[in-house]
Amino acid sequence: MPMKVVMGVDPGAANLGFGVVRIEGTHMVALDGGVIETTPSEPPERRLARIHKALSELIEWHEPRALAIEHLYFGRNVRSAMAVGQACGVAMLAAGQRGVECFAYTPQAIKMAVCGSGAAGKKQVQHMVGTLLGLPEPPVPDHAADALAVAICHGGRGAADAEISVTRVPKVGEAGYAENLTG
């Protein structure tokens, strides 16, 4: 089975987690992980530009085959939903500019893939990410751990496709592209 590199993203405008995982068969190794931080005092366009620049550099460096992003749902907090949605868009733009396909996973699907339960807690996810990647300790901060979990979810989905809720983000001109933009 060929080696592939997957970048996972835990979207956020203030703290965007990223994790890069190399997969060879059933063996997974963390190549990189961290958080792209912006400050609330920066105008939104500058925050998004910083996120885009950092992700573009990471994508260029690691050359992932896919970008996997956590598909988030928000209740009433429209401001948070907008900021996270903008960060998601910037991440997909950075990937799209380099020809990297994007995939979105629900939090429950990620937890199921990593822990075997869609109801797993944050600490359990962090612990399992560390275990699956052979790290000496669970990864921190939690945004980086979440991003690594998204990458693991995508990288390990092989035979489990039927059990994991995955959405391939349509490309411009493909059926479903306009519907994806309008919700």
Side-chain angles (χ1 to χ4, degrees):
M1 190 168 257
M3 185 240 354
K4 66 180 173 179
V5 175
V6 175
M7 176 180 281
V9 173
D10 177 37
N15 297 295
L16 182 136
F18 68 90
V20 183
V21 174
R22 184 181 70 223
I23 299 111
E24 294 182 66
T26 59
H27 183 71
M28 296 187 205
V29 176
L31 299 178
D32 199 356
V35 176
I36 299 167
E37 296 178 343
T38 63
T39 58
S41 61
E42 285 182 282
E45 65 275 12
R46 287 210 182 116
R47 294 172 86 176
L48 293 171
R50 285 186 53 201
I51 291 169
H52 181 267
K53 182 178 187 295
L55 282 175
S56 294
E57 289 171 359
L58 287 164
I59 291 168
E60 187 174 331
W61 176 258
H62 292 292
E63 299 179 342
R65 179 180 289 181
L67 183 134
I69 195 161
E70 185 174 353
H71 184 73
L72 298 175
Y73 299 97
F74 286 89
R76 299 173 200 249
N77 193 337
V78 176
R79 184 179 298 243
S80 290
M82 289 287 292
V84 171
Q86 290 167 343
C88 285
V90 165
M92 291 190 310
L93 173 64
Q97 287 175 326
R98 281 150 189 84
V100 177
E101 280 195 279
C102 297
F103 299 83
Y105 296 88
T106 65
Q108 293 78 17
I110 296 164
K111 292 174 184 179
M112 179 65 80
V114 173
C115 299
S117 168
K122 277 216 176 273
K123 293 291 183 203
Q124 185 179 1
V125 171
Q126 275 182 293
H127 175 76
M128 284 304 299
V129 166
T131 300
L132 291 169
L133 296 175
L135 301 174
E137 297 195 10
V140 290
D142 61 344
H143 293 295
D146 289 348
L148 287 166
V150 180
I152 290 168
C153 177
H154 182 77
R157 69 188 178 103
D161 272 346
E163 298 174 26
I164 295 176
S165 172
V166 59
T167 305
R168 188 181 71 75
V169 180
K171 295 178 181 174
V172 175
E174 283 185 344
Y177 175 75
E179 294 83 31
N180 215 10
L181 295 177
T182 59

